[in-house]
Amino acid sequence: MSRSPRPRRRLLTALAALSGLGLIVASPASAAPLHQEPYRPQFHFTPAQNWMNDPNGLIYYKGRYHLFFQYNPSGDTWGNMSWGHAVSTDLVHWKELPVAIPQDADEMVFSGSVVLDRNNTTGFGTAKNPPLVAVYTSLVKSNGVQRQSLAYSTDGGTTWTKYSGNPVLDLGSTEFRDPKVFWYAPTRSWLMAVALSDQHKISFYSSADLKHWSHLSDFGPAGATGGVWECPDLFPLPVDGDAKKTKWVLAVNLNPGAIAGGSGAQYFVGDFDGTKFTADDSGPYTAPSGTALQDFESGSFGDWTASGSAFGSGPATGALDGQSPVTGFGGRAFADSFHGGDAATGTLTSPEFTVTGDYVNFRVGGGKHPYRPGSVLDAQPTPTGETLADFEGGTYSSPIGDWTATGDAFGTGPAQGTLPGQQQVSGYLGHGLVNSFVNGDASTGTLTSPAFTIDKKYLDFLVGGGYHGVSSGSPTAVELLVDGKVVRSATGSNTEAMDWSSWDLSDLQGQQARIRVVDANTGGWGHINLDQVVLSDTQAQPRSAETGVNLLVDGKVVQSATGSDSENLDWASFNTSAYKGRKVRIQIVDADTGGWGHVLADDFTVAAAPARSVLQRAHWLDYGQDFYAANSFTDAPDGRRVMIAWMNNWNYGQAIPTSPWRSADTFPRQLSLKTIGGRIQLVQQPVGELRTLRGAATSIPATTVTSTTRQLGVRGGTVELDATLTPGTAERFGLDVRTGGAQRTRIGYDTTTGEVYLDRTASGATDFDPTFAGTERAPLALGGKPLKLHLLVDNSSVEVYAENSSGEQVVLTDQIFPDPSSTGIGVFADNGTAKLDQLKAWQLASIWK
């Protein structure tokens, strides 16, 4: 059972209590007809309404695929967890059925699996009518303990009875969940793979009757361990189609800490002997050798220059006062900015040196606070100009007149700092500020300025609070109104640390405008903070809050890397091939004073090959942001292995702008193992039944593009694309989908890094959570040869299957929320030429019609 990231786990008991009382309720249904609502997927499964997460109990039984799933029958956010149910005869068209296994007063029904007990080992059925048995995690509402329980069905999965002898496996743990059970013929026994989530282990158990379980072994920690392990799946596959050569695949889902951030799914290929799983690549990692720039072993920083107090007077040789144990550094010493704790700040900068190699490799740890382009390390003076409001008085008066408040969120005047129940607010100037946390996040309202004339280039202001943009439907935002229309907007970033924001008003000179501060959100971070509103000819720059390592060229940051909120140092790499012969510097920066506000670094080395981090060395089922809780069907016809996943991410999953449902599943994928470049790789393809949705094919002739984007003679909001592109001189090339106005979702190839990328920064609505907009990347070497792209584009998602000429594959899945009219498809090349060799497109029919 996957659920909210660890910072929210303290809410679990409260949520459980609320769900038991029926207090988590559904949001109002959309006015649009069912399955025709904005963003509703047309060929991906979604429940008719309410919240869904992990797929559960996937099984093929008597001609139907059964998809059970984590479901909240009473609302569109996580809670009341029960098993929803849908069935299909073709993996494409789904019929939703009533809730299969509901929560009750004592337990929520978390994730698990379903098996057909053919030999009636449980005694729940008969020899002639063997039962379906669900093995699920029971969350005890009173104490949060997770234990494994049974339910059974003798009517084909429609109705279920919970076993009176539950639980069947209980360790007394709050981190023990998601059993995947299957019949293991060699020992004629049931086997279970289940997650010891916070230990990063998968435990294996054996049973003769599904009721009594014996521990066999544990696997892990291994691979990526930046978050809890969940939803394991273990299954055999033939290698290269040879039934005599079989390997086992262990899928392990991870939240947070996946390759694209937040939730994700990794896999291990290896052997299973009925007792123990052994991964093929379990040996230690050695980074490429090279020439040392700095290893901090001399006992001093040498010619590296420290500023501030964070790095102390020299390298650390272990954890500092108040710091957890530090691991992963080389030798005996490393740079550590925890001197004085997280509140200390500073930099450690190398002298200039001439780039002679293709890569600079190094180890980095500590906080995950990335560098933000445009941010500055040094404190900036308040922009000069016309102050429209500084909120220092007892009322909302200002130099341009009185501001008008509605609702109850803004009170009768400015707040004098932090309000009751609020985290510490920082970054405002003077004593007063606008703060809509009056009476907490549940309050709503607006605060609107008098009209003023735009006569300077910028409007600068300090903003903080919730990240709920205008397109979210329930914004916490600062808006600029011209002729009553919103022409600019800004939000906080889910933090009480206020920072500068700036709007370029060059195109609005001479016009009358108003500022409106809006709090329409009653959920988490449902408030907005504002201070020091200035019309100025100077653009305010946000303060840096980074913890990381930067590569500086001409004083500018060109590449950066951070830790992962861990005291373990892991390998990272800068690609310096473009800067050979040029002078550069390395700067280690700690500009953050909050949690994990420090950085660790060691072993800077010039090398011919890049060092690879644990995340880069792990095997990922999907490199996108929206592929989690992956699981496969039991007993699928012809022995094929079909996988489906939750197409969402716990970073923002409860905030996506859909209604009356929230969350979809990926389109089912068929899995195989192939030997590619001497390595066994898991290969995925959409199940062939997708072809039943195709309309007539449209073929686009070959075309060459040079430093431009060209729209193609095909459009589609729900479309399948098959394309081949050949790199030329372009730095980046690829396809744009769901284009229109300023919107596009870009699927490209970066020749400078050797990566496929999926860019959704301009894909439509992105302002409902600060972690949503971004670009995901996956390594795929082309060697100048063609790139094959197979794309599935739906109303709110893109699935990318990318392959090189050797058959090596990477897959990326992302949600997108474009305007319905944004249906264009284009080809692009940046800074050079590329060729679209062929493109074939099929419009895909809706599965709901």
Side-chain angles (χ1 to χ4, degrees), residues 757-824:
Y757 64 93
L758 175 51
D759 177 359
R760 64 178 179 188
T761 56
S763 59
T766 63
D767 59 357
F768 51 85
D769 189 276
T771 64
F772 182 80
T775 301
E776 285 75 63
R777 293 176 173 270
L780 187 68
L782 292 186
K785 295 181 180 179
L787 169 70
K788 297 180 180 179
L789 293 176
H790 188 187
L791 311 182
L792 305 185
V793 182
D794 206 341
N795 281 345
S796 55
S797 65
V798 176
E799 291 174 271
V800 177
Y801 298 81
E803 188 176 306
N804 64 16
S805 60
S806 300
E808 186 178 2
Q809 181 199 63
V810 291
V811 186
L812 303 92
T813 299
D814 268 6
Q815 294 181 94
I816 56 172
F817 300 101
D819 188 274
S821 63
S822 297
T823 60

Side-chain angles (χ1 to χ4, degrees), residues 46-343:
T46 52
Q49 62 181 9
N50 298 332
W51 169 266
M52 175 184 74
N53 53 286
D54 307 1
N56 298 156
L58 307 182
I59 189 170
Y60 181 81
Y61 177 71
K62 290 188 176 181
R64 298 198 301 180
Y65 293 91
H66 290 258
L67 166 63
F68 300 92
F69 49 90
Q70 290 287 280
Y71 186 61
N72 181 358
S74 304
D76 65 357
T77 56
W78 184 91
N80 303 301
M81 297 320 297
S82 306
W83 275 28
H85 189 193
V87 293
S88 173
T89 59
D90 63 359
L91 288 169
V92 176
H93 300 84
W94 294 94
K95 178 182 179 181
E96 188 175 356
L97 299 178
V99 171
I101 310 178
Q103 65 146 12
D104 58 34
D106 299 318
E107 71 171 12
M108 281 200 277
V109 183
F110 278 12
S111 294
S113 50
V114 169
V115 294
L116 174 62
D117 185 12
R118 288 183 174 85
N119 300 320
N120 195 30
T121 62
T122 58
F124 293 154
T126 66
K128 290 185 177 181
N129 185 29
L132 291 174
V133 180
V135 188
Y136 66 90
T137 295
S138 166
L139 173 85
V140 182
K141 291 184 177 181
S142 62
N143 58 18
V145 167
Q146 298 172 7
R147 54 198 194 181
Q148 315 319 316
S149 296
L150 306 180
Y152 60 92
S153 173
T154 56
D155 62 1
T158 301
T159 60
W160 293 81
T161 302
K162 293 180 181 179
Y163 173 44
S164 61
N166 283 338
V168 297
L169 184 56
D170 185 2
L171 303 182
S173 170
T174 58
E175 298 285 348
F176 180 52
R177 55 183 175 270
D178 311 336
K180 181 61 181 280
V181 173
F182 59 96
W183 179 256
Y184 188 67
T187 58
R188 296 190 58 78
S189 62
W190 297 104
L191 293 183
M192 176 195 296
V194 61
L196 294 169
S197 296
D198 60 346
Q199 297 180 44
H200 308 113
K201 292 181 179 180
I202 303 302
S203 280
F204 299 103
Y205 288 83
S206 175
S207 175
D209 59 3
L210 292 172
K211 300 175 182 178
H212 304 88
W213 293 92
S214 299
H215 181 255
L216 298 174
S217 65
D218 293 333
F219 172 79
T225 57
V228 294
W229 278 16
E230 297 185 315
C231 303
D233 194 5
L234 179 67
F235 50 87
L237 283 176
V239 178
D240 301 324
D242 184 354
K244 296 180 181 180
K245 184 181 179 183
T246 298
K247 282 285 186 179
W248 286 76
V249 177
L250 176 62
V252 178
N253 294 268
L254 174 78
N255 175 62
I259 186 69
S263 313
Q266 63 181 323
Y267 72 93
F268 303 87
V269 175
D271 297 308
F272 183 70
D273 62 5
T275 298
K276 182 180 180 181
F277 176 82
T278 304
D280 287 348
D281 53 357
S282 56
Y285 174 73
T286 301
S289 60
T291 303
L293 286 173
Q294 174 64 277
D295 59 12
F296 302 111
E297 294 300 300
S298 69
S300 74
F301 291 135
D303 54 3
W304 290 44
T305 305
S307 72
S309 60
F311 291 93
S313 59
T317 56
L320 301 173
D321 289 345
Q323 187 175 24
S324 298
V326 177
T327 59
F329 55 94
R332 65 180 187 86
F334 56 96
D336 187 346
S337 74
F338 199 75
H339 290 82
D342 279 334

Side-chain angles (χ1 to χ4, degrees), residues 432-488:
L433 72 151
V434 173
N435 186 342
S436 74
F437 198 75
V438 176
N439 298 320
D441 279 332
S443 58
T444 60
T446 64
L447 182 66
T448 306
S449 78
F452 61 92
T453 300
I454 297 174
D455 58 4
K456 290 184 170 53
K457 186 174 182 181
Y458 299 102
L459 184 68
D460 300 324
F461 51 92
L462 289 163
V463 64
Y467 188 99
H468 306 285
V470 174
S471 68
S472 71
S474 301
T476 54
V478 182
E479 301 172 341
L480 183 67
L481 306 179
V482 174
D483 295 330
K485 297 180 180 179
V486 178
V487 295
R488 303 283 192 278

Side-chain angles (χ1 to χ4, degrees), residues 360-559:
V360 172
N361 297 329
F362 54 95
R363 305 178 198 244
V364 63
K368 187 176 183 179
H369 304 287
Y371 164 76
R372 291 184 297 162
S375 65
V376 292
L377 288 173
D378 299 325
Q380 300 294 297
T382 301
T384 58
E386 180 185 0
T387 299
L388 302 184
D390 60 10
F391 304 110
E392 290 301 297
T395 66
Y396 287 120
S397 61
S398 77
I400 58 173
D402 293 340
W403 292 49
T404 304
T406 67
D408 58 354
F410 295 94
T412 59
Q416 300 299 300
T418 305
L419 294 174
Q422 188 175 25
Q423 298 177 33
Q424 185 68 39
V425 179
S426 63
Y428 59 96
L429 301 181
H431 302 286
L433 72 151
V434 173
N435 186 342
S436 74
F437 198 75
V438 176
N439 298 320
D441 279 332
S443 58
T444 60
T446 64
L447 182 66
T448 306
S449 78
F452 61 92
T453 300
I454 297 174
D455 58 4
K456 290 184 170 53
K457 186 174 182 181
Y458 299 102
L459 184 68
D460 300 324
F461 51 92
L462 289 163
V463 64
Y467 188 99
H468 306 285
V470 174
S471 68
S472 71
S474 301
T476 54
V478 182
E479 301 172 341
L480 183 67
L481 306 179
V482 174
D483 295 330
K485 297 180 180 179
V486 178
V487 295
R488 303 283 192 278
S489 67
T491 72
S493 56
N494 288 353
T495 176
E496 303 293 10
M498 299 177 69
D499 203 356
W500 286 107
S501 186
S502 184
W503 291 327
D504 188 333
L505 307 181
S506 300
D507 60 327
L508 301 173
Q509 293 299 298
Q511 299 195 50
Q512 292 284 295
R514 295 178 188 268
I515 297 166
R516 182 171 65 191
V517 191
V518 181
D519 178 351
N521 196 292
T522 59
W525 286 106
H527 65 279
I528 184 78
N529 306 327
L530 175 71
D531 194 21
Q532 206 65 32
V533 184
V534 181
L535 270 174
S536 177
D537 288 323
T538 302
Q539 185 174 25
Q541 295 177 291
R543 306 182 190 98
S544 171
E546 66 194 280
T547 55
V549 180
N550 296 330
L551 180 68
L552 306 181
V553 178
D554 296 330
K556 296 180 180 179
V557 177
V558 296
Q559 295 181 51

